[in-house]
PDB file of all heavy atoms in Angstrom:
ATOM      1  N   THR A  66      -6.684   1.743   2.008  1.00 85.00           N
ATOM      2  CA  THR A  66      -7.695   1.479   1.054  1.00 85.00           C
ATOM      3  C   THR A  66      -8.575   2.601   0.623  1.00 85.00           C
ATOM      4  O   THR A  66      -9.205   2.673  -0.325  1.00 85.00           O
ATOM      5  CB  THR A  66      -8.470   0.166   1.321  1.00 85.00           C
ATOM      6  OG1 THR A  66      -9.013   0.319   2.614  1.00 85.00           O
ATOM      7  CG2 THR A  66      -7.429  -0.979   1.288  1.00 85.00           C
ATOM      8  N   ASP A  67      -8.681   3.583   1.655  1.00 85.00           N
ATOM      9  CA  ASP A  67      -9.496   4.660   1.451  1.00 85.00           C
ATOM     10  C   ASP A  67      -8.638   5.828   0.986  1.00 85.00           C
ATOM     11  O   ASP A  67      -9.145   7.048   0.564  1.00 85.00           O
ATOM     12  CB  ASP A  67     -10.199   5.127   2.850  1.00 85.00           C
ATOM     13  CG  ASP A  67      -9.119   5.331   4.019  1.00 85.00           C
ATOM     14  OD1 ASP A  67      -8.036   5.347   3.667  1.00 85.00           O
ATOM     15  OD2 ASP A  67      -9.646   5.472   5.059  1.00 85.00           O
ATOM     16  N   GLY A  68      -7.321   5.691   0.870  1.00 86.00           N
ATOM     17  CA  GLY A  68      -6.401   6.756   0.338  1.00 86.00           C
ATOM     18  C   GLY A  68      -6.251   7.960   1.101  1.00 86.00           C
ATOM     19  O   GLY A  68      -5.769   8.911   0.656  1.00 86.00           O
ATOM     20  N   LEU A  69      -6.604   7.959   2.403  1.00 90.00           N
ATOM     21  CA  LEU A  69      -6.636   9.106   3.183  1.00 90.00           C
ATOM     22  C   LEU A  69      -5.210   9.564   3.687  1.00 90.00           C
ATOM     23  O   LEU A  69      -5.025  10.671   4.224  1.00 90.00           O
ATOM     24  CB  LEU A  69      -7.629   9.118   4.371  1.00 90.00           C
ATOM     25  CG  LEU A  69      -9.103   8.886   3.831  1.00 90.00           C
ATOM     26  CD1 LEU A  69     -10.130   8.867   5.031  1.00 90.00           C
ATOM     27  CD2 LEU A  69      -9.561  10.142   3.003  1.00 90.00           C
ATOM     28  N   GLN A  70      -4.264   8.575   3.765  1.00 94.00           N
ATOM     29  CA  GLN A  70      -2.985   8.965   4.311  1.00 94.00           C
ATOM     30  C   GLN A  70      -2.200   9.296   3.069  1.00 94.00           C
ATOM     31  O   GLN A  70      -1.900   8.448   2.200  1.00 94.00           O
ATOM     32  CB  GLN A  70      -2.467   7.767   4.995  1.00 94.00           C
ATOM     33  CG  GLN A  70      -2.849   7.615   6.466  1.00 94.00           C
ATOM     34  CD  GLN A  70      -1.978   6.507   7.095  1.00 94.00           C
ATOM     35  OE1 GLN A  70      -2.399   5.355   7.077  1.00 94.00           O
ATOM     36  NE2 GLN A  70      -0.867   6.881   7.721  1.00 94.00           N
ATOM     37  N   PHE A  71      -1.665  10.504   3.004  1.00 97.00           N
ATOM     38  CA  PHE A  71      -0.692  10.858   1.839  1.00 97.00           C
ATOM     39  C   PHE A  71       0.239  11.936   2.325  1.00 97.00           C
ATOM     40  O   PHE A  71       0.003  12.645   3.209  1.00 97.00           O
ATOM     41  CB  PHE A  71      -1.482  11.313   0.613  1.00 97.00           C
ATOM     42  CG  PHE A  71      -2.318  12.497   0.798  1.00 97.00           C
ATOM     43  CD1 PHE A  71      -1.793  13.751   0.617  1.00 97.00           C
ATOM     44  CD2 PHE A  71      -3.613  12.438   1.374  1.00 97.00           C
ATOM     45  CE1 PHE A  71      -2.694  14.860   0.718  1.00 97.00           C
ATOM     46  CE2 PHE A  71      -4.325  13.539   1.666  1.00 97.00           C
ATOM     47  CZ  PHE A  71      -3.850  14.789   1.255  1.00 97.00           C
ATOM     48  N   ARG A  72       1.322  12.030   1.525  1.00 98.00           N
ATOM     49  CA  ARG A  72       2.264  13.191   1.846  1.00 98.00           C
ATOM     50  C   ARG A  72       2.945  13.437   0.470  1.00 98.00           C
ATOM     51  O   ARG A  72       3.290  12.590  -0.293  1.00 98.00           O
ATOM     52  CB  ARG A  72       3.172  12.787   2.872  1.00 98.00           C
ATOM     53  CG  ARG A  72       4.210  14.000   3.227  1.00 98.00           C
ATOM     54  CD  ARG A  72       5.021  13.600   4.330  1.00 98.00           C
ATOM     55  NE  ARG A  72       6.003  14.812   4.677  1.00 98.00           N
ATOM     56  CZ  ARG A  72       7.014  14.846   5.376  1.00 98.00           C
ATOM     57  NH1 ARG A  72       7.338  13.612   6.070  1.00 98.00           N
ATOM     58  NH2 ARG A  72       7.698  15.862   5.616  1.00 98.00           N
ATOM     59  N   ALA A  73       3.405  14.735   0.241  1.00 98.00           N
ATOM     60  CA  ALA A  73       4.181  15.029  -0.921  1.00 98.00           C
ATOM     61  C   ALA A  73       5.379  15.968  -0.266  1.00 98.00           C
ATOM     62  O   ALA A  73       5.062  16.995   0.338  1.00 98.00           O
ATOM     63  CB  ALA A  73       3.400  15.854  -1.885  1.00 98.00           C
ATOM     64  N   ASN A  74       6.573  15.507  -0.601  1.00 98.00           N
ATOM     65  CA  ASN A  74       7.779  16.236  -0.056  1.00 98.00           C
ATOM     66  C   ASN A  74       8.699  16.680  -1.150  1.00 98.00           C
ATOM     67  O   ASN A  74       9.121  15.963  -1.957  1.00 98.00           O
ATOM     68  CB  ASN A  74       8.518  15.231   0.901  1.00 98.00           C
ATOM     69  CG  ASN A  74       9.626  15.816   1.668  1.00 98.00           C
ATOM     70  OD1 ASN A  74      10.327  16.690   1.113  1.00 98.00           O
ATOM     71  ND2 ASN A  74       9.678  15.559   2.937  1.00 98.00           N
ATOM     72  N   ASP A  75       8.890  18.149  -1.157  1.00 98.00           N
ATOM     73  CA  ASP A  75       9.755  18.659  -2.236  1.00 98.00           C
ATOM     74  C   ASP A  75      11.226  18.620  -1.920  1.00 98.00           C
ATOM     75  O   ASP A  75      12.058  18.847  -2.747  1.00 98.00           O
ATOM     76  CB  ASP A  75       9.403  20.158  -2.393  1.00 98.00           C
ATOM     77  CG  ASP A  75       7.964  20.275  -2.912  1.00 98.00           C
ATOM     78  OD1 ASP A  75       7.598  19.552  -3.899  1.00 98.00           O
ATOM     79  OD2 ASP A  75       7.232  21.199  -2.447  1.00 98.00           O
ATOM     80  N   ASP A  76      11.552  18.286  -0.680  1.00 97.00           N
ATOM     81  CA  ASP A  76      13.033  18.143  -0.221  1.00 97.00           C
ATOM     82  C   ASP A  76      13.923  19.203  -0.790  1.00 97.00           C
ATOM     83  O   ASP A  76      14.891  19.012  -1.428  1.00 97.00           O
ATOM     84  CB  ASP A  76      13.538  16.685  -0.687  1.00 97.00           C
ATOM     85  CG  ASP A  76      14.829  16.486  -0.085  1.00 97.00           C
ATOM     86  OD1 ASP A  76      14.962  16.704   1.188  1.00 97.00           O
ATOM     87  OD2 ASP A  76      15.779  15.932  -0.666  1.00 97.00           O
ATOM     88  N   GLY A  77      13.526  20.511  -0.721  1.00 96.00           N
ATOM     89  CA  GLY A  77      14.441  21.612  -1.033  1.00 96.00           C
ATOM     90  C   GLY A  77      14.114  22.129  -2.454  1.00 96.00           C
ATOM     91  O   GLY A  77      14.677  23.181  -2.768  1.00 96.00           O
ATOM     92  N   GLU A  78      13.420  21.455  -3.214  1.00 97.00           N
ATOM     93  CA  GLU A  78      13.107  21.974  -4.536  1.00 97.00           C
ATOM     94  C   GLU A  78      12.070  23.183  -4.356  1.00 97.00           C
ATOM     95  O   GLU A  78      11.347  23.183  -3.239  1.00 97.00           O
ATOM     96  CB  GLU A  78      12.466  20.894  -5.473  1.00 97.00           C
ATOM     97  CG  GLU A  78      13.444  19.849  -5.843  1.00 97.00           C
ATOM     98  CD  GLU A  78      14.426  20.279  -6.973  1.00 97.00           C
ATOM     99  OE1 GLU A  78      14.749  21.475  -6.997  1.00 97.00           O
ATOM    100  OE2 GLU A  78      14.793  19.469  -7.809  1.00 97.00           O
ATOM    101  N   PRO A  79      11.809  23.996  -5.316  1.00 97.00           N
ATOM    102  CA  PRO A  79      10.694  24.984  -5.096  1.00 97.00           C
ATOM    103  C   PRO A  79       9.414  24.386  -4.752  1.00 97.00           C
ATOM    104  O   PRO A  79       9.024  23.295  -5.303  1.00 97.00           O
ATOM    105  CB  PRO A  79      10.616  25.624  -6.490  1.00 97.00           C
ATOM    106  CG  PRO A  79      12.054  25.590  -7.015  1.00 97.00           C
ATOM    107  CD  PRO A  79      12.506  24.189  -6.511  1.00 97.00           C
ATOM    108  N   SER A  80       8.742  25.025  -3.918  1.00 97.00           N
ATOM    109  CA  SER A  80       7.360  24.482  -3.394  1.00 97.00           C
ATOM    110  C   SER A  80       6.436  24.013  -4.543  1.00 97.00           C
ATOM    111  O   SER A  80       6.110  24.856  -5.460  1.00 97.00           O
ATOM    112  CB  SER A  80       6.775  25.591  -2.480  1.00 97.00           C
ATOM    113  OG  SER A  80       5.515  24.993  -2.018  1.00 97.00           O
ATOM    114  N   GLY A  81       5.957  22.833  -4.383  1.00 96.00           N
ATOM    115  CA  GLY A  81       4.996  22.438  -5.379  1.00 96.00           C
ATOM    116  C   GLY A  81       5.594  21.885  -6.695  1.00 96.00           C
ATOM    117  O   GLY A  81       4.915  21.422  -7.497  1.00 96.00           O
ATOM    118  N   SER A  82       6.946  21.852  -6.799  1.00 98.00           N
ATOM    119  CA  SER A  82       7.589  21.517  -8.028  1.00 98.00           C
ATOM    120  C   SER A  82       7.925  19.973  -8.130  1.00 98.00           C
ATOM    121  O   SER A  82       8.269  19.428  -9.236  1.00 98.00           O
ATOM    122  CB  SER A  82       8.824  22.297  -8.347  1.00 98.00           C
ATOM    123  OG  SER A  82       9.783  21.996  -7.426  1.00 98.00           O
ATOM    124  N   ALA A  83       7.923  19.264  -7.063  1.00 98.00           N
ATOM    125  CA  ALA A  83       8.298  17.981  -7.035  1.00 98.00           C
ATOM    126  C   ALA A  83       7.377  16.930  -6.332  1.00 98.00           C
ATOM    127  O   ALA A  83       6.820  15.984  -7.083  1.00 98.00           O
ATOM    128  CB  ALA A  83       9.662  17.824  -6.225  1.00 98.00           C
ATOM    129  N   GLY A  84       7.062  17.232  -5.087  1.00 98.00           N
ATOM    130  CA  GLY A  84       6.224  16.168  -4.367  1.00 98.00           C
ATOM    131  C   GLY A  84       4.757  16.120  -4.953  1.00 98.00           C
ATOM    132  O   GLY A  84       4.241  14.957  -5.166  1.00 98.00           O
ATOM    133  N   ARG A  85       4.310  17.266  -5.300  1.00 98.00           N
ATOM    134  CA  ARG A  85       2.910  17.138  -5.892  1.00 98.00           C
ATOM    135  C   ARG A  85       2.907  16.555  -7.300  1.00 98.00           C
ATOM    136  O   ARG A  85       1.859  15.817  -7.549  1.00 98.00           O
ATOM    137  CB  ARG A  85       2.293  18.647  -5.876  1.00 98.00           C
ATOM    138  CG  ARG A  85       2.018  19.181  -4.531  1.00 98.00           C
ATOM    139  CD  ARG A  85       1.439  20.529  -4.619  1.00 98.00           C
ATOM    140  NE  ARG A  85       1.046  21.152  -3.240  1.00 98.00           N
ATOM    141  CZ  ARG A  85       0.510  22.335  -3.241  1.00 98.00           C
ATOM    142  NH1 ARG A  85       0.336  23.172  -4.215  1.00 98.00           N
ATOM    143  NH2 ARG A  85       0.212  22.772  -1.914  1.00 98.00           N
ATOM    144  N   PRO A  86       3.732  16.896  -8.154  1.00 98.00           N
ATOM    145  CA  PRO A  86       3.663  16.162  -9.394  1.00 98.00           C
ATOM    146  C   PRO A  86       3.828  14.569  -9.293  1.00 98.00           C
ATOM    147  O   PRO A  86       3.254  13.887  -9.949  1.00 98.00           O
ATOM    148  CB  PRO A  86       4.898  16.765 -10.193  1.00 98.00           C
ATOM    149  CG  PRO A  86       5.094  18.141  -9.588  1.00 98.00           C
ATOM    150  CD  PRO A  86       4.747  17.964  -8.119  1.00 98.00           C
ATOM    151  N   ILE A  87       4.680  14.249  -8.350  1.00 98.00           N
ATOM    152  CA  ILE A  87       4.868  12.732  -7.952  1.00 98.00           C
ATOM    153  C   ILE A  87       3.487  12.242  -7.581  1.00 98.00           C
ATOM    154  O   ILE A  87       3.011  11.158  -7.972  1.00 98.00           O
ATOM    155  CB  ILE A  87       5.964  12.634  -6.878  1.00 98.00           C
ATOM    156  CG1 ILE A  87       7.343  12.927  -7.473  1.00 98.00           C
ATOM    157  CG2 ILE A  87       5.958  11.049  -6.558  1.00 98.00           C
ATOM    158  CD1 ILE A  87       8.488  12.918  -6.488  1.00 98.00           C
ATOM    159  N   LEU A  88       2.955  12.798  -6.550  1.00 98.00           N
ATOM    160  CA  LEU A  88       1.611  12.398  -5.974  1.00 98.00           C
ATOM    161  C   LEU A  88       0.568  12.390  -7.084  1.00 98.00           C
ATOM    162  O   LEU A  88      -0.359  11.477  -7.138  1.00 98.00           O
ATOM    163  CB  LEU A  88       1.220  13.316  -4.777  1.00 98.00           C
ATOM    164  CG  LEU A  88      -0.054  12.743  -4.037  1.00 98.00           C
ATOM    165  CD1 LEU A  88       0.043  11.366  -3.566  1.00 98.00           C
ATOM    166  CD2 LEU A  88      -0.488  13.801  -3.024  1.00 98.00           C
TER     167      LEU A  88
END
Side-chain angles (χ1 to χ4, degrees):
T66 55
D67 56 11
L69 295 180
Q70 274 187 274
F71 63 93
R72 186 179 179 190
N74 189 316
D75 294 315
D76 192 44
E78 294 281 35
S80 178
S82 67
R85 287 183 182 177
I87 296 171
L88 183 62

